[in-house]
């Protein structure tokens, strides 16, 4: 399922290939987030034009609406959304934590109030696996418990025990029901927890590796902790994860954070930032982010960035600023397209640099230029 093609000689960065049911994914990879079955404002053809290899969907959102029955009737999420490349679905653990109200965590699962209509619901490891099988994603995330940041050590310790026991229940469900779901074998990734404690991160990683999954995510990061805590959580987890399996840092991050993580041996990333900040007028450039509403761009004839995709580079900053201030939907689409292209190119350039054995130099020069302005 995963093959390491090249390792940078002076850091932990590696280049790899993931063979999935809907195609091959090169790593390091950035995965656009398509929470409700769409990457906001963009058509699947545009995602292909961007070179997106794999996108994310969310079990929690799609379970609540339109519901797994509808999606199953269309043959799974790929057919429903007409996206025929790989998809990864998150398990709902984090979304219940971050979105639902009145959460109650029990050994059985998480009881909560649906954030759409307030109805009481219960998500369990088995149900999360069942929903993801119905979605037919290429990679399904295990159902985990996400400790808030900050939290007491005791809480983190108890929580990671629950995450491991839930991982075992997911594994039992998979072995009993291995969903080929008509769209080929679905892979499953465990999620390492343990919050900010190195020994708990090690314990969580070892327990998940013992259960043996197709890949491993580092969870409990990008939940409001300081950047150095995020880096340490990865440094304390990666050494206990198998070299020959993909590693996925969930929910992050900025371009510099992604490069720092690649240098620490992380292969996969997802973040809503590129598309979310686009809807607020922020565009990423090699000289750092710009806010298109800024008066400075009123007559600026240049494209958003020198590395912009032709699909967007044909428009001046002045024109996009006008559209954005006029509330034109095209502004949101152009900025979303541009920002995703920026993140996808960052990953593609990182892959090249790793193959050339020059990743540290690439990382340093990118971050220097990106942060100097
Ligand atoms: C935006 N930050 C973020 N941190 C995350 C952490 C997790 C996650 C999603 C995240 N997104 N999904 C999980 N199932 N568990 C851990």
């Amino acid at each position: 399922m995963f093959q390491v093609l090249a390792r940078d000689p002076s850091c932990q960065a590696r280049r790899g290939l993931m063979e999935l049911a809907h195609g091959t994914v090169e790593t390091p990879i950035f995965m656009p987030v398509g929470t409700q079955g769409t990457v906001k404002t963009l058509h699947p053809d545009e995602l292909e034009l961007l070179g997106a290899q794999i996108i994310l969907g969310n079990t929690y959102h799609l379970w609540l609406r339109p519901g797994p029955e509808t999606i199953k009737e269309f043959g799974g999420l790929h057919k429903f959304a007409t996206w025929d490349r790989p998809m990864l679905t998150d398990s709902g653990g984090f979304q219940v934590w971050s979105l639902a109200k009145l959460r109650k965590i029990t050994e059985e699962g998480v009881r909560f109030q649906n954030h759409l209509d307030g109805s009481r619901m219960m998500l369990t490891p088995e149900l999360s696996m069942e929903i993801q099988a119905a979605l037919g994603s290429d990679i399904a995330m295990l159902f985990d418990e996400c400790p808030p940041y900050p939290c007491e050590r005791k809480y983190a310790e108890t929580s990671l025990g629950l995450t491991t026991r839930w991982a075992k229940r997911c594994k039992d469900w998979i072995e009993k029901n291995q969903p080929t779901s008509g769209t080929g074998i679905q892979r499953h990734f465990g999620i390492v927890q343990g919050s900010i404690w190195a020994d708990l991160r090690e314990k969580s990683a070892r327990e998940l590796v013992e259960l043996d999954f197709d890949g491993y995510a580092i969870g409990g990061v990008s939940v409001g902790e300081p950047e150095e805590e995020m880096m340490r959580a990865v440094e304390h987890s990666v050494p206990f994860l198998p070299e020959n399996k993909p590693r996925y840092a969930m929910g992050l991050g900025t371009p510099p954070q992604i490069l720092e993580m690649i240098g620490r041996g992380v292969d996969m990333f997802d973040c809503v930032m590129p598309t979310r900040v686009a809807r607020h007028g922020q565009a990423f450039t090699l000289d750092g982010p710009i806010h298109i509403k800024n008066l400075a761009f009123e007559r600026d004839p240049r494209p958003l960035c020198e590395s912009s995709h032709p699909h967007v580079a044909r428009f001046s900053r002045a024109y996009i600023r006008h559209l954005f201030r006029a509330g034109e939907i095209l502004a949101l689409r152009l900025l979303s397209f541009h920002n995703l292209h920026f993140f996808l190119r960052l990953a593609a350039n990182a892959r090249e640099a790793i193959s050339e054995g020059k990743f540290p130099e690439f990382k340093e020069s990118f971050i220097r230029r990106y942060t100097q302005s």
Side-chain angles (χ1 to χ4, degrees):
M1 183 260 183
F2 181 65
Q3 190 192 353
V4 176
L5 300 177
R7 288 178 177 74
D8 188 280
S10 53
C11 69
Q12 293 189 66
R14 76 259 188 88
R15 182 172 185 171
L17 269 186
M18 250 189 324
E19 296 291 341
L20 299 168
H22 285 80
T24 303
V25 174
E26 294 182 274
T27 63
I29 183 75
F30 180 81
M31 304 183 284
V33 175
T35 297
Q36 306 198 92
T38 163
V39 176
K40 293 191 184 325
T41 78
L42 297 181
H43 189 289
D45 291 350
E46 291 177 304
L47 293 176
E48 289 200 14
L49 191 60
L50 273 171
Q53 299 179 50
I54 177 170
I55 63 171
L56 253 72
N58 257 310
T59 298
Y60 173 79
H61 295 81
L62 293 165
W63 175 36
L64 267 49
R65 183 176 53 188
E69 297 70 30
T70 300
I71 296 177
K72 202 167 178 176
E73 195 160 309
F74 283 81
L77 189 54
H78 289 88
K79 291 203 172 64
F80 192 51
T82 74
W83 171 256
D84 60 8
R85 293 183 179 186
M87 294 183 96
L88 179 148
T89 44
D90 198 354
S91 55
F94 180 81
Q95 289 72 34
V96 169
W97 175 73
S98 57
L99 274 174
K101 299 183 287 294
L102 301 176
R103 265 182 348 134
K104 184 168 176 7
I105 301 168
T106 65
E107 187 66 33
E108 177 59 14
V110 186
R111 205 177 293 286
F112 62 92
Q113 264 195 287
N114 173 329
H115 76 288
L116 297 176
D117 62 14
S119 59
R120 294 190 179 292
M121 301 180 89
M122 171 96 174
L123 191 51
T124 64
E126 292 79 11
L127 181 54
S128 175
M129 290 294 107
E130 193 180 314
I131 295 167
Q132 294 184 78
L135 297 176
S137 52
D138 298 74
I139 298 174
M141 301 309 294
L142 295 199
F143 188 67
D144 60 328
E145 208 283 297
C146 309
Y149 176 84
C151 73
E152 298 295 320
R153 180 187 161 89
K154 188 73 195 115
Y155 184 101
E157 195 157 17
T158 310
S159 170
L160 89 81
L162 193 53
T163 288
T164 300
R165 291 193 297 279
W166 283 358
K168 177 71 176 71
R169 283 169 53 186
C170 288
K171 179 103 185 168
D172 293 345
W173 189 93
I174 294 160
E175 280 163 1
K176 209 156 112 255
N177 305 280
Q178 174 48 38
T180 51
S181 62
T183 56
I185 288 290
Q186 182 173 60
R187 301 292 180 183
H188 300 86
F189 281 21
I191 304 178
V192 177
Q193 294 290 359
S195 189
I196 60 170
W197 287 279
D199 60 325
L200 297 185
R201 284 279 169 189
E202 176 178 349
K203 181 174 181 341
S204 179
R206 287 186 185 280
E207 289 174 353
L208 289 172
V209 172
E210 180 67 29
L211 287 169
D212 187 24
F213 293 106
D214 299 303
Y216 301 90
I218 293 148
V221 289
S222 189
V223 287
E225 77 280 16
E227 187 168 283
E228 58 275 9
E229 289 292 7
M230 189 156 55
M231 296 297 162
R232 269 206 290 276
V234 169
E235 287 161 3
H236 296 149
S237 304
V238 166
F240 308 100
L241 299 176
E243 178 72 11
N244 65 338
K245 299 268 178 90
R247 300 144 181 180
Y248 166 23
M250 301 186 87
L252 59 94
T254 64
Q257 286 168 350
I258 288 176
L259 293 181
E260 289 296 347
M261 292 288 179
I262 291 173
R264 288 169 172 78
V266 179
D267 307 300
M268 299 164 70
F269 303 89
D270 86 275
C271 192
V272 294
M273 195 196 306
T275 41
R276 180 170 293 171
V277 301
R279 297 195 295 280
H280 298 108
Q282 181 181 320
F284 288 90
T285 81
L286 293 170
D287 299 305
I290 61 170
H291 293 271
I292 200 61
K293 288 179 281 190
N294 194 314
L295 186 59
F297 305 123
E298 188 180 21
R299 301 278 166 78
D300 191 332
R302 294 172 296 171
L304 288 170
C305 177
E306 68 200 41
S307 63
S308 283
H309 189 289
H311 192 62
V312 175
R314 61 191 273 179
F315 303 108
S316 65
R317 289 173 174 189
Y319 176 70
I320 297 174
R321 177 178 180 272
H322 155 64
L323 292 185
F324 190 85
R325 293 180 69 246
E328 284 294 342
I329 294 167
L330 180 60
L332 308 185
R333 287 175 27 74
L334 294 178
L335 288 164
S336 297
F337 186 98
H338 168 81
N339 284 352
L340 280 178
H341 179 254
F342 189 89
F343 276 66
L344 290 166
R345 290 301 311 152
L346 183 70
N349 293 336
R351 294 195 293 267
E352 280 312 304
I354 294 168
S355 289
E356 293 159 11
K358 295 182 180 152
F359 179 76
E361 299 88 324
F362 165 71
K363 180 186 77 153
E364 291 315 322
S365 70
F366 177 92
I367 292 177
R368 191 178 319 110
R369 177 173 175 184
Y370 185 83
T371 50
Q372 80 184 9
S373 54

